[in-house]
Amino acid sequence: MNQAPAALDLRCQLTQPVALDLRLQVRGFTVLLGVSGAGKTSLLQAIAGLLPARVSPFGDLPVEQRPIGYLPQGYALFPHLRAWENVAFPLPRSARRQTEALALLQRVGLKELAERFPAELSGGQKQRVALARALARKPQLLLLDEPTSALDMATRDEVLDELIREVHAFGIPLLAVSHDPHLAMLADHMAILREGRIVQEGPPVEVFARPHHQTTARLLGFRNFLSGHVDAQENAILRVAGAGWQLQAESRSSLPMGTPVQLTWRAEDLFLEEASGLPCPNRLVVRVRASRAEGLSTRIYLEGPAPLEMLLSRQQAEAAQINPGSLLKVCVQPRHVQIMIEEVSS
Amino acid sequence: MTARRGKKRREGNAWLSRVLAVGVFVFLLAPFAALFFATDWADFHFAQGDLGAIRTSLLYSGLAVLLAVLAGTPLAWWLARGHWRGKWVLDALLMLPLLTPPLALGILLSSFYGPYSPVGSVFSQAGIYLTNTAPAFILAQIYGAMPYYIIAARAAFEGVPRELEQISRTLGRNRLQTFWQVTLPLARIGLSAGVALAWVRAMGEFGIVLIVAYFPQGIPVKLWVNLQDIGLDAVYPLLWIFFLVAVPLPLWIGLRARRQTQALF
C-alpha cells in the first residue's frame, strides 16, 4: 500500500522529571525500548508538548497546534463521550463532523460500536477508537505509550497486527515506547533508551542479533552473561576465556588479545549435550539449582561459571529428568553467542 | 462442625448489622415522621407573611447560589490544579468561614460590612446598604454557602484525571476549550453536589442572616418569628414548604449523580 515507510528525525532534550538528550529516527513503526523509569513516557509527553523540553520538529508550537497524535497508556478516552464523539472531538464543529468520525471508525473496523461509551469497549477496541481519534487530527507523527500494556495475551498479537497494518495504511510515522521486546520484533525500526540516551538503533533483526550492551541484551530477553577476555582469534571464531571456562563465538570483527568482553546468549540457545547429538564446541558443566514450568516450556536455573538459564521444551525436560543438584553438560553454538565489549559499570 | 459454627456466626453478624442499619435509619427519619403527625391537617394555614418569606428565600437563595457558583468555581479550579509553595496556608484559611459558628460569622460580617465600618460606608455611598436589606441577605447567604461549594467543587475538579485534560490539549483544544469540553462535564457530578449543598446551606442559613439581615425575612427567620410570636402550630405549615422547596433539588441531584457515576465507570 505504501512504498517506503514514512520517516521523521526526532531530537529531544529534557531535564525534568528525567534527564534525556537524544536523537532518534522514526521510520514507519518504530519501537523505543527501555526499562521502567528510563523516561519513556516523559519523552513522549515532551514531544507532544506536555512537558517543557527542547524538541524538534514541532518544538516551537504550543501543544494544541502540534500535528502529533498521542495515545497514552490506557488510551485516555473521554468517558462521558460515545466512541464516535471521542473520534469527533478534535474535528471542527460542522455538519460533516459525525460523518467524518464514523468514516474513521469504519477504517479501524468499529463503526458498529460508534454509539458505545468507552466503559463498554474492550482494551483492543479502546485502542482502535483512540487511534481513530488521534488520526482525526491528521497528525504527522503518532506516539504510543506501552501499546500492549492494557491488552490481554489472547488478543494482543491480533490487536497489534491490526494496529501495525492500519499505521502502515495511513502512512504516518509511529513511535511506540515499551519495555516489551515482542513489540520491538514487529517494528520496522527500533532503538534502545538507556540513561537518557539512545545506545543502539537499527532494524530489529540487527539489534536482536547484536546487542551492544548488557542492559540492551537484558531488555531483548538475553539471560546468560559471562565475563572474560579475548584469548585467541581464528578467522571468524573468537575464543574467550574466563575463570575455568573457554567458549567460542562467531565474530565479524577482530579484537585485540586480552580485551575484556562479555558473552551472552539466550536461554533457548542452551541445550543438553547428550540429548542433542550435535557437535559441542562450547561445553559447560553446570549444576541444576531450580526449575520452573513456563507455559509449555521449562526454565532451568543453573549454577556454572555464572548463574545461567536454559529453556527446554516440556518433552526435553521430562526426558532428561532434571532434578535440583544434578550435574549437566550443556552446550551453546558459537553462532548463538554474542560478544559485547565489557561495560565499566552495569 | 467448625464450618457450621462459622456459618452461624456469619448469619448472626449479618442479622445484627441489618438491625443496626434499620435502627440508625429509624433514628434519623423519626423526627420527620413526627412532623407528619404533629401537623394539624384539618386547619392547615399559613401565618401572615409566610408567603413573602417563601418568595424571599427562593429568590435570594437562587441569586446567592448563582453568585457563589460564578465566583467559587474559578477559585475551586485554581485550588485543585495549582501547585505553589504555601498552598496549604490558603487551604487552611478557606476552612475558616466553614469552621466559624454562623452566629459568630454574622457578627464578623456586621462589623465588616456594617454602616459604621469603612467598607460598609463605601458601599453606603454607592447606595448599597449591607444591613437588613436584600443585598445584605444575599451576602449572608453567600458567606454561608460558598465555602461548602468551593470545597465540593475543588474535590470534583481534583477527581478529573489530568491525563484527559492533557489529551484534549494534544487533540487541538486550548485551555478554555478543554475546561468547557472535558473538565466541566467530567466534574459535573461533584459540581452538582456542590450546588445542591450550597442551595441547602443558603436556604437554611439562620445564624448569619439573623445578625446581618433580620429583614427581609426568609423562611428560617420567619420560622423563628412564628415560633416566638404565635407558637409551635404556626411553624409546621412553613416547615412543610421549606422541605418541599429546599430538599427536592439536592435529592434529585444526588440520585442522578449516583446513576451517572454507575453508568460512567
Side-chain angles (χ1 to χ4, degrees), chain A residues 45 48 50 63-64 66 68 70 72-73 76-80 89-91 93 119 133-134 137, chain B residues 163-175 177-178 181-182 185-186 188 263-265:
Chain A
Q45 290 184 336
L50 298 169
V63 51
E64 60 268 26
R66 295 191 187 189
I68 290 173
Y70 172 44
Q73 276 191 61
L77 293 179
F78 301 119
H80 60 298
F89 188 87
L91 297 172
R93 297 202 176 275
R133 182 178 66 177
R137 275 203 84 196
Chain B
E163 190 182 44
L164 294 178
E165 294 174 332
Q166 291 183 332
I167 284 296
S168 163
R169 302 288 311 281
T170 70
L171 292 168
R173 296 283 172 262
N174 62 29
R175 280 182 203 279
Q177 289 167 329
T178 296
Q181 292 173 24
V182 176
L186 286 174
R188 71 182 187 279
L264 269 185
F265 299 101

Side-chain angles (χ1 to χ4, degrees), chain B residues 14-32:
Chain B
W15 185 80
L16 191 69
S17 59
R18 234 170 281 157
V19 168
L20 271 172
V22 170
V24 172
F25 201 69
V26 168
F27 171 76
L28 286 175
L29 294 183
F32 293 87

Side-chain angles (χ1 to χ4, degrees), chain A residues 47-70:
Chain A
I47 298 169
L50 298 169
L51 282 177
R54 289 178 66 183
V55 176
S56 130
F58 318 127
D60 51 342
L61 297 173
V63 51
E64 60 268 26
Q65 284 175 23
R66 295 191 187 189
I68 290 173
Y70 172 44

Side-chain angles (χ1 to χ4, degrees), chain B residues 25-222:
Chain B
F25 201 69
V26 168
F27 171 76
L28 286 175
L29 294 183
F32 293 87
L35 173 67
F36 186 84
F37 292 110
T39 308
D40 185 358
W41 295 104
D43 187 26
F44 189 92
H45 68 274
F46 291 113
Q48 199 183 5
D50 277 3
L51 292 176
I54 294 166
R55 204 167 40 239
T56 300
S57 266
L58 280 177
L59 180 67
Y60 296 152
S61 297
L63 267 171
V65 170
L66 183 72
L67 291 172
V69 168
L70 286 178
T73 304
L75 176 60
W77 188 85
W78 187 55
L79 287 170
R81 284 294 184 243
H83 293 284
W84 65 91
R85 213 190 301 173
K87 190 179 166 190
W88 65 273
V89 179
L90 212 67
D91 284 338
L93 288 175
L94 187 70
M95 296 295 283
L96 214 56
L98 206 72
L99 298 175
T100 308
L103 219 54
L105 194 57
I107 294 165
L108 291 179
L109 291 192
S110 179
S111 321
F112 189 73
Y113 293 107
Y116 305 112
S117 73
V119 176
S121 57
V122 169
F123 275 100
S124 306
Q125 280 164 16
I128 302 167
Y129 299 94
L130 293 174
T131 308
N132 287 333
T133 58
F137 188 89
I138 293 169
L139 186 76
Q141 285 186 312
I142 289 175
Y143 271 94
M146 192 148 80
Y148 288 90
Y149 173 74
I150 290 170
I151 281 171
R154 179 199 175 151
F157 287 137
E158 280 172 342
V160 176
R162 192 160 242 187
E163 190 182 44
L164 294 178
E165 294 174 332
Q166 291 183 332
I167 284 296
S168 163
R169 302 288 311 281
T170 70
L171 292 168
R173 296 283 172 262
N174 62 29
R175 280 182 203 279
L176 195 64
Q177 289 167 329
T178 296
F179 180 76
W180 281 108
Q181 292 173 24
V182 176
T183 314
L184 217 50
L186 286 174
R188 71 182 187 279
I189 293 166
L191 291 176
S192 308
V195 171
L197 202 59
W199 170 254
V200 173
R201 294 298 313 176
M203 281 291 288
E205 188 49 60
F206 176 69
I208 311 174
V209 169
L210 192 71
I211 306 288
V212 181
Y214 186 85
F215 291 108
Q217 283 173 359
I219 295 176
V221 172
K222 189 65 172 53

